[in-house]
Structures are given as C-alpha cells and as structure tokens.
Amino acid sequence: MAKNRSLHAASRAKKDEFYTQLYDIENELRHYRAHFRDKVVYCNCDDPRVSNFFHYFAYNFRLLRLKKLITTCYKNQQMDMFSRNDAERAIWLEYTGTENETAIPSLEDIATHYLQGDGDFRSAECIELLKQADIVVTNPPFSLFREYVAQLIEYDKKFLILGNKNAITYKEIFPLIKENKLWIGNTPMGRDLLFDVPADYAEYLVENKKEGSSYKIIDGVVKGRSQSAWFTNLDYRKRHKDLRLYKHYSPEDYSHYDNYDAINVDKTAEIPMDWDGAMGVPISFLDKHNPDQFEILARMTTTKIDEFNFGYPYINGKKIYARIIIRNKQRQA
C-alpha cells in the first residue's frame, strides 16, 4: 500500500512537468496580440531552454512589439535544450530584443542573472520580478493552481495561463469567473491539449495508463494528455460574440431542478430565447459565455455546498451532470 501511495505521489508530481507544445501556444496567443505592445511579459514557471513559452515570446518579440521578456527558472542553470531543473542554482533571464536583421535571439542577447533562492514563484525574489510585469503567461504547476491564481489577483496582473479544466469548479476560482475577473480562453475546452513530458514519465504512462486517455503517441513520441484549458483576464473578440438562440421555453421541454429554482438545459445550443429566469447549463457553456448576453449566478458541481455552490443538480430525485447556473440578460419575446 505504501509503495502504491508513493507511485501516485510521483505521478502527480510529474504532471507538474508537462511542457506546453508550441502549436498550442501559437494557436491561443494569436488572439491577444494587441495586448502585448510595449508590455513586460513574465513567464515565471519556465525553464527557458525547454519552455515553448520562452521560445514563442523571444522569437516573436519584434512582431508583438514587446518591451521586455522575463523568465524565471526553478533550480536550473544548464544551457542545453534538455535540462530538467536539476542544477544547484536558479536563474532569471531578461530579454529586450536583438539588433540582428533576422530578429532571432542569440545567447549574447539574453541577460542571465542568478537568484539567491530556488526560483519558486512564491519567493520574494520572484514576486519582485512579478511586480515589474504587465502580463504573465505560463503553464503553472496544476497542483498549485489555486495559490498561483491568488497571487496574480493579489498583484493585479493580467495573465494567460493553463490549468486543469476542473479548476472552474474550485471554490477559489469560480467566484472570479462569476465576477468577470477570469474567464476561459479562446481555445474550446473540448479540444485536446497534448504536452511534452520527461522521458521517465513517458515510460510510466505507456506502462501504466491507457493510450488515448492519458497519453497519445504522435510520430513515435509519447505526448501526455491532460484535462487542460486556458484561463485569462485578457479580452478577445470571440468573447463578445452573441450566442444565437432559436428555441422557445415550454414546460414539456425543460425540467425544473428539485434543489434549485432553475430550469435544466442539456445543451448550450438549446438555451431558450424567451426565458429570463435561472437555468442550468453544461460547464462547457463557458466556451460560449458572453458577459454582455449572460450573467453567471452559481454552480451546481459538488456535494460541498457554499455561497456559490448548491450541490449536484437533481431532477425527480435523480442526480445529473454538473451545471453552471446562468440568466439571459437579453431575453427575447
């Protein structure tokens, strides 16, 4: 039993070493380009010699018209592309662009500084760097997601980060979504995100997990699969696009919950245009949420009841899937 617990603990730790693919970064970041002009970007959970976040911002520095790029690296000073945070000292890197015609950064263009501590984003040193930043972009440790977001909110930072999809149900995160202080990024939550993983964890996945569920093999390379989504407080165009509604309310088509005064809507596309009361919609609704069109009221996601959560929804005594409770602010007759 103790051995199994150790294996599970090691597995959870390795999930914090998922490296975001450049394709997914490019696909998401292209929707926010206007936000980055003359800004300081901070990637505070990134080994710059492995991180595709560093690669993206360094190679697109001129295109995005950035002011500065800062990255902090947890206990790592290796200069090869395969370092895995195992060195004695942590570093932070500063890049303000290059004068060469190709706009491709070289080692000489990147200022390297040593940190006194281990590079943890919670350390005083890293917080001082955070204070310099305008926008934070990274893939933080999922196990520390609540604490990581709390720090960003405390220091009033703009951000675009990856997290577990289930984070939308966290009692620390959902109020931020409800209050329009955090929302889902442009990439739909239903889209598969794959990650580069250390070789030993790739071996663990193949030996212990199911292909297609926990990992996929792409061109012979094992890619970790994670229930991930982008979280941000940067605005983008799609977020203000009205959801087209076509159905009308009728008691026969929409059941009421036993434990909350709201109707049940099984699919986002089936939200009735003429109902102005509360309604429960699938969590995937957040992909389509337009704060000008809808108001988020509550969640029904777990048995732990709090100010914003009223327990799993029930219809005629039967528990159904988790729901977000919303109201249409633009009801049509």
Side-chain angles (χ1 to χ4, degrees), residues 38-137:
D38 296 323
K39 296 298 191 296
V40 176
V41 171
Y42 185 28
C43 304
N44 59 348
C45 294
D46 293 84
D47 176 345
R49 303 304 161 184
V50 177
S51 169
N52 283 318
F53 285 102
F54 177 84
H55 179 101
Y56 174 82
F57 284 113
Y59 279 73
N60 290 281
F61 194 93
R62 195 173 293 177
L63 173 66
L64 296 171
R65 300 185 181 183
L66 292 178
K67 181 179 181 180
K68 184 189 296 186
L69 171 62
I70 303 172
T71 63
T72 49
C73 181
Y74 187 81
K75 281 189 178 179
N76 181 38
Q77 61 179 2
Q78 304 300 323
M79 299 303 285
D80 63 277
M81 292 297 291
F82 303 98
S83 54
R84 288 289 187 254
N85 304 328
D86 57 359
E88 292 287 331
R89 297 183 64 183
I91 59 172
W92 67 275
L93 273 63
E94 184 178 30
Y95 179 63
T96 56
T98 181
E99 296 299 325
N100 69 56
E101 294 181 0
T102 65
I104 296 175
S106 66
L107 291 177
E108 290 73 25
D109 298 316
I110 302 169
T112 302
H113 310 274
Y114 289 106
L115 291 166
Q116 296 300 313
D118 59 10
D120 190 304
F121 70 87
R122 298 163 292 189
S123 69
E125 292 176 292
C126 290
I127 289 174
E128 287 304 311
L129 292 173
L130 175 66
K131 291 177 181 178
Q132 298 181 32
D134 298 301
I135 306 175
V136 178
V137 186

Side-chain angles (χ1 to χ4, degrees), residues 224-254:
R225 183 177 179 272
S226 173
Q227 297 294 319
S228 303
W230 292 94
F231 294 83
T232 188
N233 58 359
L234 295 172
D235 217 351
Y236 57 95
R237 183 180 301 177
K238 191 183 78 172
R239 186 168 172 263
H240 296 280
K241 182 179 180 180
D242 278 354
L243 180 65
R244 296 185 63 180
L245 307 177
Y246 68 95
K247 293 201 68 172
H248 290 273
Y249 170 77
S250 71
E252 295 78 21
D253 293 334
Y254 298 93

